[in-house]
Amino acid sequence: MSHQDTINWKDIFSPSSMLFTVLGVLCAIIALEGFMIPNHFIDGGITGISILFSNILGIDIRILLIGLNIPFILMGYHRIGKSFAIHTCIAIILLVIGLNTLELPMITSDKILIALFGGFFIGLAIGFVIKGGGVLDGLEIIGHYTNKKSGFSTGEVVMLINTVVILIALYQFGVEVAMYSILTYFTAMRISDYVVDGFEEYTALTVLSEKHDTIKSIIVNDFNKAISVFKGERGYLPGSFNVKYDCDIIMTIVTRLELHRIRTAILNEDPNAFVYITSIKEVKGGVIKQKLKH
């Protein structure tokens, strides 16, 4: 039996997983009842579609949240894993129960505040539930599915569907609400990225320099960062293809808060150094994680 086919009940109901899920649901309730639903603002995804159809068709949004998410939960069950699908079911059920039992007043009618804080809280909700092991919006699942089937990236698929949702909102509620809904959506996505990836997003810094020994010393001794060194070749330039020489390729993992200082120190030592930077989503183990504990 594969790991994907195994339901890890201990992980599903672990204190950390449930804490993140409950926090996410509470943030979603604040966003929906306090900001978005009473003002007809949407943020994309199944939540946005539910708000839209609730206004157009007069159907209870709680029914729509469950009904519209069911196909995507089933898709996630088969494509991603059973534990993931159960995490998602728990999050959506808790959201529906919360919307049914907790009645929050409309916090503000200022459209900019609605867009910013509605997006902020829905972004927290999405991020917390993902950290808990599921999703609060089934549209993320269809993005992964169609990525494999069509070749489009998850972001492209989600953006296409959300564009259609925003266009319908434009027709139903007017240009102004649709524009503010776009702001809500992008605020939510940015905040959810921060919650999932962390504020100290990791970056891979790679350096090729004739002064490679000095550069190694700067990174390790001056900035207390671990490095990996690959043996490579430089040269092969247009007009001098046959000219090449051995070199050390130095790679280290830094946070974006550290990036500027380290890059500046390297270029001050060797202005001709070839430096390139790559964003990465996750780092496990090694010295990086040990340093973050202090």
Side-chain angles (χ1 to χ4, degrees):
M1 180 179 288
S2 68
H3 178 71
Q4 176 171 300
D5 294 327
T6 303
I7 299 177
N8 190 338
W9 295 106
K10 184 177 179 180
D11 175 63
I12 291 172
F13 291 104
S14 68
S16 61
S17 177
M18 293 307 298
L19 175 62
F20 279 126
T21 301
V22 170
L23 283 175
V25 168
L26 290 175
C27 288
I29 292 170
I30 293 172
L32 293 173
E33 291 193 344
F35 294 96
M36 296 167 62
I37 293 176
N39 294 287
H40 309 300
F41 275 43
I42 62 176
D43 76 311
I46 298 302
T47 306
I49 294 172
S50 298
I51 296 173
L52 193 60
F53 284 1
S54 177
N55 281 276
I56 295 175
L57 303 177
I59 303 174
D60 192 315
I61 188 172
R62 293 163 290 192
I63 297 174
L64 290 169
L65 284 171
I66 293 176
L68 293 176
N69 272 302
I70 287 175
F72 303 113
I73 294 172
L74 293 174
M75 193 180 297
Y77 180 88
H78 293 291
R79 294 285 173 175
I80 300 176
K82 296 177 180 178
S83 295
F84 169 83
I86 294 172
H87 273 296
T88 302
C89 281
I90 291 172
I92 293 171
I93 290 171
L94 287 176
L95 176 60
V96 171
I97 292 173
L99 290 173
N100 192 52
T101 56
L102 300 176
E103 294 186 6
L104 299 181
M106 184 176 69
I107 295 174
T108 181
S109 59
D110 184 283
K111 293 178 180 178
I112 294 179
L113 292 178
I114 296 165
L116 292 177
F117 283 92
F120 174 78
F121 280 107
I122 204 70
L124 287 179
I126 293 169
F128 282 141
V129 174
I130 289 175
K131 288 182 77 71
V135 293
L136 200 58
D137 195 306
L139 197 59
E140 297 293 332
I141 300 172
I142 196 174
H144 287 284
Y145 178 77
T146 52
N147 181 30
K148 294 180 179 180
K149 293 291 185 179
S150 67
F152 291 103
S153 69
T154 300
E156 290 170 338
V157 173
V158 172
M159 181 63 75
L160 175 62
I161 296 173
N162 285 333
T163 299
V164 174
V165 174
I166 294 296
L167 289 174
I168 297 174
L170 185 151
Y171 176 79
Q172 182 69 21
F173 304 127
V175 175
E176 190 177 65
V177 171
M179 292 173 67
Y180 279 118
S181 294
I182 294 172
L183 179 59
T184 305
Y185 169 71
F186 279 105
T187 302
M189 290 302 98
R190 191 58 179 166
I191 294 299
S192 66
D193 287 343
Y194 274 131
V195 174
V196 174
D197 298 329
F199 285 91
E200 289 194 319
E201 185 175 345
Y202 292 112
T203 299
L205 177 69
T206 305
V207 184
L208 288 82
S209 170
E210 294 180 351
K211 300 180 179 180
H212 47 79
D213 287 330
T214 306
I215 300 301
K216 293 174 191 174
S217 177
I218 290 173
I219 297 173
V220 176
N221 296 322
D222 295 353
F223 291 94
N224 201 32
K225 307 298 293 185
I227 62 173
S228 295
V229 180
F230 304 93
K231 300 298 181 180
E233 291 182 338
R234 294 191 72 177
Y236 303 104
L237 298 174
S240 57
F241 177 77
N242 294 322
V243 177
K244 63 181 185 293
Y245 55 91
D246 294 337
C247 70
D248 286 351
I249 303 171
I250 306 163
M251 191 274 289
T252 186
I253 305 297
V254 300
T255 68
R256 57 184 175 183
L257 301 178
E258 301 166 319
L259 178 60
H260 175 73
R261 293 187 300 117
I262 296 177
R263 180 177 54 188
T264 300
I266 291 170
L267 293 176
N268 284 339
E269 179 64 33
D270 181 7
N272 295 318
F274 179 65
V275 180
Y276 65 92
I277 298 161
T278 308
S279 295
I280 53 179
K281 286 293 184 183
E282 184 176 1
V283 175
K284 289 186 178 295
V287 176
I288 290 289
K289 290 296 181 184
Q290 295 171 9
K291 294 296 180 185
L292 289 178
K293 293 179 182 177
H294 295 293

PDB file of all heavy atoms in Angstrom, residues 199-213:
ATOM      1  N   PHE A 199       7.726  34.239   6.391  1.00  0.00           N
ATOM      2  CA  PHE A 199       8.216  35.564   6.033  1.00  0.00           C
ATOM      3  C   PHE A 199       9.686  35.511   5.634  1.00  0.00           C
ATOM      4  O   PHE A 199      10.154  36.347   4.880  1.00  0.00           O
ATOM      5  CB  PHE A 199       8.020  36.529   7.205  1.00  0.00           C
ATOM      6  CG  PHE A 199       6.599  36.953   7.376  1.00  0.00           C
ATOM      7  CD1 PHE A 199       5.743  36.244   8.208  1.00  0.00           C
ATOM      8  CD2 PHE A 199       6.100  38.040   6.698  1.00  0.00           C
ATOM      9  CE1 PHE A 199       4.423  36.632   8.364  1.00  0.00           C
ATOM     10  CE2 PHE A 199       4.775  38.441   6.847  1.00  0.00           C
ATOM     11  CZ  PHE A 199       3.946  37.726   7.683  1.00  0.00           C
ATOM     12  N   GLU A 200      10.420  34.518   6.146  1.00  0.00           N
ATOM     13  CA  GLU A 200      11.817  34.373   5.774  1.00  0.00           C
ATOM     14  C   GLU A 200      11.919  33.382   4.621  1.00  0.00           C
ATOM     15  O   GLU A 200      12.348  32.246   4.778  1.00  0.00           O
ATOM     16  CB  GLU A 200      12.641  33.906   6.967  1.00  0.00           C
ATOM     17  CG  GLU A 200      12.804  34.962   8.026  1.00  0.00           C
ATOM     18  CD  GLU A 200      13.884  34.615   9.023  1.00  0.00           C
ATOM     19  OE1 GLU A 200      13.958  33.440   9.414  1.00  0.00           O
ATOM     20  OE2 GLU A 200      14.649  35.509   9.404  1.00  0.00           O
ATOM     21  N   GLU A 201      11.456  33.795   3.465  1.00  0.00           N
ATOM     22  CA  GLU A 201      11.483  32.941   2.291  1.00  0.00           C
ATOM     23  C   GLU A 201      12.926  32.655   1.902  1.00  0.00           C
ATOM     24  O   GLU A 201      13.770  33.538   1.873  1.00  0.00           O
ATOM     25  CB  GLU A 201      10.760  33.644   1.139  1.00  0.00           C
ATOM     26  CG  GLU A 201      10.621  32.793  -0.100  1.00  0.00           C
ATOM     27  CD  GLU A 201       9.798  33.500  -1.158  1.00  0.00           C
ATOM     28  OE1 GLU A 201       9.133  34.493  -0.814  1.00  0.00           O
ATOM     29  OE2 GLU A 201       9.847  33.072  -2.311  1.00  0.00           O
ATOM     30  N   TYR A 202      13.198  31.405   1.581  1.00  0.00           N
ATOM     31  CA  TYR A 202      14.571  31.002   1.306  1.00  0.00           C
ATOM     32  C   TYR A 202      14.958  31.258  -0.142  1.00  0.00           C
ATOM     33  O   TYR A 202      14.139  31.181  -1.056  1.00  0.00           O
ATOM     34  CB  TYR A 202      14.766  29.526   1.645  1.00  0.00           C
ATOM     35  CG  TYR A 202      14.675  29.248   3.117  1.00  0.00           C
ATOM     36  CD1 TYR A 202      13.611  28.507   3.636  1.00  0.00           C
ATOM     37  CD2 TYR A 202      15.637  29.737   3.992  1.00  0.00           C
ATOM     38  CE1 TYR A 202      13.516  28.264   4.990  1.00  0.00           C
ATOM     39  CE2 TYR A 202      15.555  29.493   5.342  1.00  0.00           C
ATOM     40  CZ  TYR A 202      14.493  28.760   5.837  1.00  0.00           C
ATOM     41  OH  TYR A 202      14.405  28.523   7.185  1.00  0.00           O
ATOM     42  N   THR A 203      16.235  31.556  -0.322  1.00  0.00           N
ATOM     43  CA  THR A 203      16.787  31.864  -1.637  1.00  0.00           C
ATOM     44  C   THR A 203      18.119  31.146  -1.784  1.00  0.00           C
ATOM     45  O   THR A 203      18.926  31.117  -0.856  1.00  0.00           O
ATOM     46  CB  THR A 203      17.011  33.386  -1.784  1.00  0.00           C
ATOM     47  OG1 THR A 203      15.749  34.059  -1.643  1.00  0.00           O
ATOM     48  CG2 THR A 203      17.609  33.720  -3.135  1.00  0.00           C
ATOM     49  N   ALA A 204      18.324  30.550  -2.959  1.00  0.00           N
ATOM     50  CA  ALA A 204      19.607  29.925  -3.257  1.00  0.00           C
ATOM     51  C   ALA A 204      20.495  30.953  -3.949  1.00  0.00           C
ATOM     52  O   ALA A 204      20.116  31.539  -4.967  1.00  0.00           O
ATOM     53  CB  ALA A 204      19.415  28.703  -4.151  1.00  0.00           C
ATOM     54  N   LEU A 205      21.672  31.197  -3.378  1.00  0.00           N
ATOM     55  CA  LEU A 205      22.638  32.140  -3.922  1.00  0.00           C
ATOM     56  C   LEU A 205      23.820  31.344  -4.470  1.00  0.00           C
ATOM     57  O   LEU A 205      24.473  30.610  -3.730  1.00  0.00           O
ATOM     58  CB  LEU A 205      23.103  33.105  -2.837  1.00  0.00           C
ATOM     59  CG  LEU A 205      24.185  34.126  -3.222  1.00  0.00           C
ATOM     60  CD1 LEU A 205      23.617  35.144  -4.196  1.00  0.00           C
ATOM     61  CD2 LEU A 205      24.714  34.831  -1.979  1.00  0.00           C
ATOM     62  N   THR A 206      24.078  31.478  -5.755  1.00  0.00           N
ATOM     63  CA  THR A 206      25.159  30.737  -6.410  1.00  0.00           C
ATOM     64  C   THR A 206      26.189  31.718  -6.952  1.00  0.00           C
ATOM     65  O   THR A 206      25.821  32.720  -7.579  1.00  0.00           O
ATOM     66  CB  THR A 206      24.612  29.860  -7.554  1.00  0.00           C
ATOM     67  OG1 THR A 206      23.573  29.012  -7.036  1.00  0.00           O
ATOM     68  CG2 THR A 206      25.711  28.995  -8.152  1.00  0.00           C
ATOM     69  N   VAL A 207      27.476  31.426  -6.712  1.00  0.00           N
ATOM     70  CA  VAL A 207      28.557  32.344  -7.067  1.00  0.00           C
ATOM     71  C   VAL A 207      29.645  31.604  -7.842  1.00  0.00           C
ATOM     72  O   VAL A 207      30.079  30.519  -7.436  1.00  0.00           O
ATOM     73  CB  VAL A 207      29.190  32.982  -5.811  1.00  0.00           C
ATOM     74  CG1 VAL A 207      30.241  34.012  -6.209  1.00  0.00           C
ATOM     75  CG2 VAL A 207      28.120  33.605  -4.927  1.00  0.00           C
ATOM     76  N   LEU A 208      30.065  32.193  -8.945  1.00  0.00           N
ATOM     77  CA  LEU A 208      31.252  31.744  -9.679  1.00  0.00           C
ATOM     78  C   LEU A 208      32.239  32.902  -9.689  1.00  0.00           C
ATOM     79  O   LEU A 208      31.926  33.986 -10.175  1.00  0.00           O
ATOM     80  CB  LEU A 208      30.909  31.334 -11.115  1.00  0.00           C
ATOM     81  CG  LEU A 208      30.136  30.013 -11.296  1.00  0.00           C
ATOM     82  CD1 LEU A 208      28.650  30.218 -11.081  1.00  0.00           C
ATOM     83  CD2 LEU A 208      30.381  29.456 -12.699  1.00  0.00           C
ATOM     84  N   SER A 209      33.419  32.659  -9.130  1.00  0.00           N
ATOM     85  CA  SER A 209      34.390  33.734  -8.993  1.00  0.00           C
ATOM     86  C   SER A 209      35.807  33.179  -9.059  1.00  0.00           C
ATOM     87  O   SER A 209      36.082  32.065  -8.587  1.00  0.00           O
ATOM     88  CB  SER A 209      34.183  34.469  -7.661  1.00  0.00           C
ATOM     89  OG  SER A 209      35.242  35.365  -7.400  1.00  0.00           O
ATOM     90  N   GLU A 210      36.704  33.977  -9.648  1.00  0.00           N
ATOM     91  CA  GLU A 210      38.114  33.596  -9.644  1.00  0.00           C
ATOM     92  C   GLU A 210      38.669  33.622  -8.217  1.00  0.00           C
ATOM     93  O   GLU A 210      39.634  32.919  -7.903  1.00  0.00           O
ATOM     94  CB  GLU A 210      38.911  34.548 -10.541  1.00  0.00           C
ATOM     95  CG  GLU A 210      38.550  34.442 -12.018  1.00  0.00           C
ATOM     96  CD  GLU A 210      39.352  35.402 -12.879  1.00  0.00           C
ATOM     97  OE1 GLU A 210      40.068  36.259 -12.287  1.00  0.00           O
ATOM     98  OE2 GLU A 210      39.261  35.307 -14.111  1.00  0.00           O
ATOM     99  N   LYS A 211      38.071  34.401  -7.359  1.00  0.00           N
ATOM    100  CA  LYS A 211      38.496  34.491  -5.965  1.00  0.00           C
ATOM    101  C   LYS A 211      37.624  33.582  -5.096  1.00  0.00           C
ATOM    102  O   LYS A 211      37.146  33.974  -4.033  1.00  0.00           O
ATOM    103  CB  LYS A 211      38.402  35.939  -5.475  1.00  0.00           C
ATOM    104  CG  LYS A 211      39.261  36.917  -6.261  1.00  0.00           C
ATOM    105  CD  LYS A 211      39.116  38.330  -5.704  1.00  0.00           C
ATOM    106  CE  LYS A 211      39.983  39.319  -6.460  1.00  0.00           C
ATOM    107  NZ  LYS A 211      39.856  40.693  -5.923  1.00  0.00           N
ATOM    108  N   HIS A 212      37.448  32.350  -5.555  1.00  0.00           N
ATOM    109  CA  HIS A 212      36.479  31.473  -4.896  1.00  0.00           C
ATOM    110  C   HIS A 212      36.851  31.158  -3.444  1.00  0.00           C
ATOM    111  O   HIS A 212      35.972  31.024  -2.595  1.00  0.00           O
ATOM    112  CB  HIS A 212      36.290  30.177  -5.697  1.00  0.00           C
ATOM    113  CG  HIS A 212      37.557  29.530  -6.137  1.00  0.00           C
ATOM    114  ND1 HIS A 212      38.333  28.766  -5.300  1.00  0.00           N
ATOM    115  CD2 HIS A 212      38.192  29.542  -7.335  1.00  0.00           C
ATOM    116  CE1 HIS A 212      39.387  28.315  -5.952  1.00  0.00           C
ATOM    117  NE2 HIS A 212      39.327  28.779  -7.194  1.00  0.00           N
ATOM    118  N   ASP A 213      38.138  31.065  -3.134  1.00  0.00           N
ATOM    119  CA  ASP A 213      38.512  30.768  -1.750  1.00  0.00           C
ATOM    120  C   ASP A 213      38.138  31.924  -0.819  1.00  0.00           C
ATOM    121  O   ASP A 213      37.664  31.706   0.302  1.00  0.00           O
ATOM    122  CB  ASP A 213      40.024  30.491  -1.656  1.00  0.00           C
ATOM    123  CG  ASP A 213      40.402  29.138  -2.254  1.00  0.00           C
ATOM    124  OD1 ASP A 213      39.545  28.220  -2.202  1.00  0.00           O
ATOM    125  OD2 ASP A 213      41.520  29.002  -2.773  1.00  0.00           O
TER     126      ASP A 213
END
